[in-house]
């Protein structure tokens, strides 16, 4: 089965801008900041995404044009060490306010992620965490720099937003129930180190990933009464455990063994090691798919959650499992996206439909498209 499939078709969409209907509060910004950002707050029709990179070679990415610059006050950083790193090395804007096109280019150029996976991750996130009118998203918390919000219940909360794609049982971030759900947590990182010592000879590898992933799930079941582990979180949880030894290992080595020094740099600081070379972009898609299968198969946990008390993990028969690609896609569109945008109108509806078309690309070969807002 192909969970992360190659793209079959890319539709070409025109870029156009029209006047933004109305401004809402942009509290907290100085006049100079406002003058800088207001011109960006036009309604932007989402353009077609970049295609696959024509250069997937292993090459230096921590280069002179992309030095590490730590985030300044106000720069957005969040639960994804991949995106944080790309922003701190200038593959994404340093302030962490990004467009889908920028993300797709950055993950391809900086890490060798394949186009289909980049599109799947980017548009799923954009649909729930981004501003569909301005086509901007924060890679951390909510920011006025993504422009005036569409009507509630839309959140436009950035990548930190819990219970949509950010979720429980992260490797180095705490569960929502315990408060901070997106910052690097040294205690959890120490546990990852302990597992790497025990199962990886001091490195994080696939064996460590299988054990630590399972351990973090058991820990959440035992400690978090609101633990939730259903689609789409269940798939991203296994995916991210694999990303760590695929994308954070130097592409010249590519042996799936990540040193703790490099891991700390990525997870805590969003920083590439000196002389870091990206992975071979022609290989990462298969590596991710096969690794997810292996990590899951070692300790399969089916979708479910606690019921308000600890140690009450109950399977959720309504949730897609990690192999139910089309149900996962359909529920995401028909339930998750629609819960945030029950009845969009005008430019909002048009832009959501564009983003839904672009999100559908990654399953176009396998699933039928769902049209919650008409065609
Ligand atoms: C393509 C765009 C991407 C998006 C939209 C995205 C989004 C996210 C989100 C929402 C999370 C939080 C999930 C959680 O609660 O743990 C996350 C975590 C993570 N991401 Fe990304 N990501 C992207 C690309 C990448 C890339 C390229 C890498 C690696 C180079 C990466 C590595 C990770 C890892 C390792 C975690 C887990 C962190 C942890 O569990 O402590 N991501 N990502
Ligand atoms: C998912 O599919 C893979 C390969 O196609 C298989 O190895 C694995 O057992 C499946 N997992 C589940 C939960 O069915
Ligand atoms: C790759 O694309 C770039 C930019 O579109 C172009 O300048 C370059 O010639 C292409 N390289 C190859 C090998 O096709
Ligand atoms: C994630 O944690 C932050 C505080 O650390 C909180 O402000 C935010 O609301 C949380 N996510 C979600 C929905 O609540
Ligand atoms: C980090 O995680 C540990 C273990 O779950 C928790 O006890 C601690 O409160 C967290 N620290 C912060 C700063 O959130
Ligand atoms: C992980 O490292 C340990 C210790 O070196 C080794 O026994 C194990 O085979 C490695 N696993 C993988 C998948 O490389
Ligand atoms: C939650 O699960 C526990 C353990 O399975 C069970 O004893 C309890 O009755 C359940 N509570 C609710 C509210 O369903
Ligand atoms: C989407 O949800 C609506 C209303 O809940 C339902 O009638 C429809 O059958 C669902 N469509 C799909 C494809 O699941």
């Amino acid at each position: 089965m192909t969970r992360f499939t190659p793209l079959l078709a890319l539709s070409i969409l025109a870029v156009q801008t029209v006047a933004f209907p109305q401004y809402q509060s942009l509290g907290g910004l100085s006049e100079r900041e406002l003058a800088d950002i207001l011109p960006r707050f036009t309604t932007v029709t989402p353009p077609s995404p970049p295609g696959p990179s024509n250069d997937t070679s292993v090459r230096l990415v921590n280069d002179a044009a992309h030095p590490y610059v730590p985030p300044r006050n106000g720069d957005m950083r969040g639960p994804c060490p991949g995106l944080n790193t790309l922003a701190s090395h200038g593959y994404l804007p340093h302030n962490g306010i990004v467009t889908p096109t920028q993300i797709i280019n950055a993950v391809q150029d900086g890490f060798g992620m394949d186009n289909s996976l980049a599109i799947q991750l980017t548009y799923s996130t954009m649909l729930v965490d981004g501003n569909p009118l301005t086509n901007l998203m924060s890679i951390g918390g909510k920011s006025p720099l993504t422009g005036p919000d569409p009507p509630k219940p839309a959140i436009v909360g950035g990548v930190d937003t819990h219970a949509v794609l950010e979720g429980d049982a992260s490797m180095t971030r705490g569960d929502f129930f315990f408060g901070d759900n997106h910052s690097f947590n040294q205690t959890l990182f120490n546990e990852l180190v302990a597992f790497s010592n025990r199962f990886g000879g001091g490195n994080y590898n696939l064996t460590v990933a299988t054990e630590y992933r399972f351990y973090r799930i058991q820990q959440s079941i035992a400690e978090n009464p609101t633990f939730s582990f259903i689609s789409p979180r269940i798939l991203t949880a296994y995916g991210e455990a694999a990303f760590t030894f695929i994308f954070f290992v130097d592409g010249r080595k590519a042996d799936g063994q990540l040193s703790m020094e490099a891991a700390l740099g990525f997870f805590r600081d969003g920083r590439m090691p000196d002389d870091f070379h990206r992975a071979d972009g022609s290989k990462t898609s298969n590596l991710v798919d096969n690794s997810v299968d292996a990590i899951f198969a070692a300790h399969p946990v089916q979708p479910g959650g606690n019921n308000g008390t600890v140690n009450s993990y109950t399977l959720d028969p309504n949730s897609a499992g990690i192999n139910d690609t089309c149900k996962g896609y359909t529920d995401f569109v028909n339930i998750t996206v629609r819960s945030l945008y029950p009845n969009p109108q005008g430019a909002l509806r048009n832009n959501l439909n564009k983003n839904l078309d672009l999100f559908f690309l990654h399953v176009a070969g396998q699933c039928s498209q769902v049209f919650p807002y008409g065609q």
Side-chain angles (χ1 to χ4, degrees):
M1 74 119 231
T2 55
R3 192 174 300 111
F4 301 116
T5 41
L7 295 182
L8 294 186
L10 284 180
S11 52
I12 303 302
L13 301 168
V15 187
Q16 68 178 58
T17 62
V18 297
F20 199 86
Q22 72 189 71
Y23 294 111
Q24 294 163 20
S25 163
L26 293 170
L29 292 183
S30 70
E31 247 175 70
R32 196 188 56 77
E33 284 170 319
L34 273 176
D36 185 45
I37 62 173
L38 280 180
R40 300 171 76 188
F41 293 164
T42 52
T43 298
V44 177
T45 300
S48 58
S53 173
N54 65 1
D55 174 8
T56 56
S57 64
V58 172
R59 63 173 176 76
L60 179 69
V61 287
N62 189 1
D63 59 9
H66 301 92
Y68 176 68
V69 178
R72 299 150 306 185
N73 251 347
D75 287 350
M76 291 297 173
R77 297 292 182 271
C80 177
L83 297 179
N84 293 347
T85 299
L86 292 165
S88 292
H89 282 272
Y91 285 94
L92 287 171
H94 279 282
N95 69 359
I97 306 299
V98 303
T99 67
T101 295
Q102 287 172 331
I103 297 184
I104 293 163
N105 282 326
V107 299
Q108 292 184 167
D109 293 349
F111 281 121
M113 184 177 270
D114 68 286
N115 189 246
S116 179
L117 178 54
I119 285 184
Q120 175 179 0
L121 291 172
T122 300
Y123 287 102
S124 55
T125 311
M126 183 67 197
L127 277 162
V128 295
D129 297 340
N131 186 327
L133 293 167
T134 58
N135 202 36
L136 293 168
M137 179 167 69
S138 160
I139 67 168
K142 189 166 183 65
S143 168
L145 298 181
T146 57
D149 286 345
K152 288 186 184 341
I155 301 173
V156 193
V159 174
D160 282 359
T161 309
H162 180 71
V164 187
L165 290 164
E166 193 283 331
D168 292 335
S170 302
M171 295 185 289
T172 68
R173 271 69 176 161
D175 286 6
F176 174 58
F177 178 76
F178 301 117
D180 187 337
N181 48 47
H182 57 267
S183 302
F184 174 79
N185 180 313
Q186 183 69 51
T187 310
L188 293 177
F189 186 78
N190 293 346
E191 300 202 56
L192 184 147
V193 172
F195 272 73
S196 299
N197 287 332
R198 193 165 146 209
F199 296 102
N203 292 321
Y204 179 99
N205 66 18
L206 186 140
T207 311
V208 177
T210 61
E211 298 308 322
Y212 190 60
R213 167 65 15 255
F214 186 58
Y215 167 77
R216 288 287 294 134
I217 294 168
Q218 299 307 306
Q219 199 177 31
S220 288
I221 291 173
E223 296 175 4
N224 176 356
T226 66
F227 177 52
S228 171
F229 200 61
I230 57 172
S231 179
R233 173 58 187 156
I234 188 165
L235 183 54
T236 61
Y238 286 100
E240 290 150 17
F243 291 178
T244 303
F245 60 79
I246 296 171
F247 296 112
F248 293 156
V249 171
D250 192 295
R252 293 166 298 182
K253 193 161 75 91
D255 59 356
Q257 317 289 320
L258 178 69
S259 77
M260 289 301 98
E261 192 191 356
L264 183 63
F266 283 112
F267 278 100
R268 185 188 63 189
D269 304 327
R271 179 171 196 163
M272 298 176 180
D274 290 346
D275 200 38
F276 182 71
H277 285 54
R278 71 181 183 193
D280 179 341
S282 68
K283 300 204 172 129
T284 53
S285 173
N286 282 338
L287 278 172
V288 169
D289 247 349
N290 294 338
S291 303
V292 167
D293 285 339
I295 296 168
F296 182 82
H299 298 292
V301 177
Q302 302 299 348
N306 280 345
N307 67 9
T309 57
V310 298
N311 290 314
S312 61
Y313 195 76
T314 311
L315 297 184
D316 180 349
N318 295 321
S319 167
I322 67 161
N323 279 355
D324 303 326
T325 304
C326 292
K327 180 169 167 52
Y329 155 75
T330 304
D331 288 352
F332 183 79
V333 172
N334 206 30
I335 300 172
T336 309
V337 175
R338 250 181 7 146
S339 70
L340 298 170
Y341 297 98
N343 187 24
Q345 302 296 326
L348 180 60
R349 176 172 174 270
N350 289 341
N351 282 8
L352 286 168
N353 274 339
K354 287 275 193 278
N355 285 335
L356 288 170
D357 287 346
L358 300 177
F359 176 59
F360 176 69
L361 292 172
H362 81 280
V363 289
Q366 335 172 45
C367 314
S368 331
Q369 190 168 358
V370 185
F371 298 99
Y373 313 126
Q375 297 194 38

